[in-house]
Amino acid sequence: MRSTFHGIEVSKRGLFAQQSALNTTGHNISNANTEGYSRQRVNMQATTGLPYVGMQASIEPGLLGTGVQATSIQRLREEFLDIQYRNEYKRQGYWDGRLETLEKLEGIMNEPSDTGLQKVMDQMWQAWQDLAKDPTDTSARAVVRERSKAVADTFNTLTNHIKEVQTDLNNVVNVKSMEINSLGQQIANLNNQIANVVPHGYQPNDLYDQRDVLLDKLSKLVEVRATQSTAGMVNVTIEGREFVTGITSQPVATVQNPATGMSDMTLGGAAFVPTTGYMAGTLQSRDQIVPGMLKRLDVLAVNLTKEINDLHRAGRSLSDINNGTVQDLPFFVDANSLAANPASKNYPTSASGIVINPEIMKSLDAIAAAQEEAGSTPVGNNKSALAIASIKFKVLAAGTGPNDLAESSTLDNYYRYTISQLGVDAQEAERNQLNSEMLVGTVDSQRQSVSGVSIDDEMAEMVKYQHAYSASARVMTSMDEILDKVINGMGRVGL
């Protein structure tokens, strides 16, 4: 049977329910720009009705309504959209890592341009060609020496810059490993906070949002799988290996590899090699792309200097012709060998160790532009200079040695192929990165359509709940006036 104050109770419940909805709407509006915040909604349900009042307790009129109650505050989020988002985000991270490195290499190589290695080599070949026109011309000899020195310096500079990129990538691996470790610890801490309140019947929506933001960030770095556990917690695996289990996380760290000098990642103390995400792109850049470019430069430098040195040593310089001697000087020598032995004639073994022979730096007459002829060699002999200038068009045979070309090619074509391959790889990475970015944006838009806060929608909701609250308040006032009449006004006829 209903109470005399039934109407007061019904209106009170209406006030409380609408007030909860208004508070939640205000919470949504306040967090409209909060990263990762999911829109919340108050679910309302009619409370259990009472049998209609009557002397015989008739059920014909049905149950008498007793108002409304807020049953839960729901976080509007779709799990399958989160899974899609993280799958696409890791692909974007992978191509981000590769594209960053390839763009840096393109910037370093700077081809085609007037300052790239191709231009410098062309100028050197042209200088030898000019020297062949007049082998006795001192200025032409000076140009040959300076153009050749520019080639050596360019090789050294390119190698040093590329090695700096590799060092930077190694630092990125260290920093990002610490970031992954931090994300794991934060997820474990949030699991702990959630597990402390969920068993008591609370719905920590804001903590869920914070944890999802961390999972999103983690998914860009490595492959992530989150599975529901007890008490609202999630267990997280990365690359199929346990990372966060309840309130504990496995440490992610780096250790220096004594063989390579680079940092290797570990998870829980065991070796860990990501295959997707930004970390995989960065590691592949550091261990494959950059060493590959260095190797190609080394092969080019070693073969170029060897071809020139072989012809130069067989040639005759002005000093040889004038003094009747044979200097047997390589034009380029290895910097490391030269530091150990100033008279070293060892050929360069890498692009970073090319220097002009000190004897040539001392005297331009040491440049061998002539080839020995029967009898006496005239000072105007230019055969060595011509032969060196023609190296530009010489096809080198393929070989299997560490510094041999993989396919028969001229040195120019080998370098052009290197630059072309770099450009193709960069274009592929850029295309895939843009596609991944677009897919991430599409999935995120779908997710925002479900979880995002729309100010317009929230304002409409606010007006709706405000009107309902005002109406409930008016009902309570009416019931108060009715009760006042019943209690204080009835039975007072004639008073």
Side-chain angles (χ1 to χ4, degrees):
M1 179 178 291
R2 71 176 178 86
S3 163
T4 303
F5 301 99
H6 178 79
I8 296 289
E9 178 64 20
V10 170
S11 56
K12 185 202 73 174
R13 290 180 178 180
L15 285 172
F16 285 177
Q18 305 309 324
Q19 188 175 31
S20 296
L22 274 172
N23 290 338
T24 301
T25 302
H27 187 56
N28 287 339
I29 294 173
S30 299
N31 288 282
N33 296 318
T34 300
E35 181 187 11
Y37 178 79
S38 300
R39 183 162 61 96
Q40 298 177 15
R41 179 180 65 191
V42 173
N43 293 321
M44 299 184 190
Q45 184 179 35
T47 51
T48 305
L50 296 174
Y52 194 77
V53 60
M55 295 296 292
Q56 303 300 324
S58 170
I59 62 173
E60 291 178 358
L63 296 177
L64 180 63
T66 58
V68 67
Q69 65 177 357
T71 57
S72 65
I73 300 178
Q74 181 183 0
R75 186 174 73 125
L76 300 178
R77 199 168 181 106
E78 296 290 352
E79 185 178 356
F80 73 93
L81 288 176
D82 286 338
I83 294 174
Q84 286 184 11
Y85 179 85
R86 289 163 191 162
N87 282 336
E88 297 301 333
Y89 207 26
K90 74 181 178 187
R91 295 189 182 94
Q92 181 187 340
Y94 173 77
W95 290 111
D96 280 348
R98 288 181 66 93
L99 181 59
E100 287 175 7
T101 301
L102 290 168
E103 286 181 336
K104 287 179 181 176
L105 292 180
E106 281 191 315
I108 292 172
M109 300 308 294
N110 194 25
E111 297 287 2
S113 72
D114 291 335
T115 57
L117 179 60
Q118 181 67 64
K119 184 69 175 181
V120 177
M121 287 194 299
D122 286 344
Q123 290 174 339
M124 181 185 71
W125 301 128
Q126 184 60 49
W128 281 104
Q129 191 72 44
D130 293 342
L131 177 61
K133 295 175 182 175
D134 185 1
T136 61
D137 187 351
T138 304
S139 62
R141 289 175 172 272
V143 172
V144 165
R145 187 175 66 182
E146 293 307 312
R147 296 300 189 195
S148 301
K149 185 174 183 300
V151 169
D153 291 343
T154 304
F155 270 117
N156 295 340
T157 302
L158 291 176
T159 303
N160 290 335
H161 283 176
I162 294 174
K163 286 182 177 178
E164 287 175 2
V165 170
Q166 191 176 33
T167 302
D168 291 342
L169 289 170
N170 192 54
N171 292 333
V172 170
V173 170
N174 291 329
V175 172
K176 292 299 180 182
S177 296
M178 289 190 288
E179 183 178 339
I180 293 173
N181 191 54
S182 174
L183 290 171
Q185 292 175 350
Q186 292 178 63
I187 292 172
N189 289 336
L190 284 170
N191 269 346
N192 187 34
Q193 295 178 46
I194 291 169
N196 287 334
V197 296
V198 168
H200 301 289
Y202 296 105
Q203 189 75 5
N205 292 328
D206 295 336
L207 294 180
Y208 289 151
D209 284 342
Q210 293 175 31
R211 189 175 62 189
D212 283 334
V213 169
L214 298 178
L215 288 171
D216 287 348
K217 291 180 178 178
L218 186 61
S219 69
K220 185 176 184 181
L221 299 174
V222 290
E223 183 191 26
V224 175
R225 287 286 182 273
T227 55
Q228 290 295 325
S229 181
T230 57
M233 295 187 294
V234 294
N235 294 331
V236 181
T237 62
I238 54 176
E239 304 286 342
R241 293 173 57 179
E242 291 184 357
F243 181 45
V244 177
T245 304
I247 60 174
T248 60
S249 65
Q250 297 293 324
V252 173
T254 55
V255 293
Q256 188 176 32
N257 187 316
T260 64
M262 296 295 166
S263 298
D264 292 338
M265 294 181 66
T266 62
L267 171 60
F272 176 61
V273 181
T275 57
T276 58
Y278 185 82
M279 294 306 298
T282 302
L283 286 170
Q284 289 180 10
S285 297
R286 187 197 68 180
D287 300 336
Q288 297 175 19
I289 295 176
V290 171
M293 179 56 69
L294 287 172
K295 180 61 181 175
R296 293 192 71 84
L297 280 178
D298 285 344
V299 169
L300 176 63
V302 168
N303 282 281
L304 182 144
T305 54
K306 179 180 181 303
E307 292 295 324
I308 294 177
N309 282 346
D310 286 349
L311 290 173
H312 194 268
R313 294 182 70 170
R316 294 292 179 267
S317 65
L318 285 178
S319 299
D320 291 336
I321 296 172
N322 294 330
N323 302 327
T325 58
V326 178
Q327 296 184 98
D328 186 24
L329 288 178
F331 196 91
F332 296 101
V333 292
D334 183 70
N336 294 328
S337 299
L338 192 65
N341 176 17
S344 171
K345 295 183 179 181
N346 291 341
Y347 288 9
T349 56
S350 68
S352 61
I354 305 175
V355 293
I356 304 293
N357 193 314
E359 296 300 324
I360 295 175
M361 295 302 294
K362 290 179 184 175
S363 171
L364 292 172
D365 289 348
I367 297 176
Q371 285 184 355
E372 185 177 13
E373 294 184 5
S376 63
T377 304
V379 294
N381 186 310
N382 64 354
K383 293 182 179 179
S384 180
L386 282 175
I388 292 176
S390 63
I391 292 174
K392 174 181 172 68
F393 307 104
K394 180 182 179 182
V395 177
L396 303 185
T400 57
N403 292 316
D404 289 340
L405 305 185
E407 299 90 15
S408 298
S409 170
T410 66
L411 292 173
D412 266 15
N413 285 339
Y414 178 81
Y415 181 64
R416 288 194 180 97
Y417 171 78
T418 300
I419 297 302
S420 299
Q421 187 62 49
L422 176 62
V424 169
D425 290 344
Q427 288 179 350
E428 180 191 10
E430 184 177 11
R431 177 174 55 79
N432 284 302
Q433 192 270 346
L434 287 174
N435 289 340
S436 300
E437 191 175 47
M438 183 181 65
L439 289 173
V440 168
T442 301
V443 177
D444 191 45
S445 296
Q446 294 175 350
R447 198 165 64 162
Q448 287 300 315
S449 68
V450 176
S451 305
V453 176
S454 166
I455 295 297
D456 292 339
D457 291 346
E458 296 303 320
M459 292 298 289
E461 292 287 296
M462 184 182 68
V463 171
K464 181 177 74 175
Y465 295 131
Q466 183 183 13
H467 286 173
Y469 186 89
S470 299
S472 294
R474 187 69 186 89
V475 170
M476 179 170 281
T477 301
S478 298
M479 296 306 300
D480 181 57
E481 291 174 353
I482 291 171
L483 290 173
D484 179 64
K485 177 61 70 178
V486 171
I487 296 171
N488 300 319
M490 294 179 68
R492 296 173 59 84
V493 177
L495 293 179

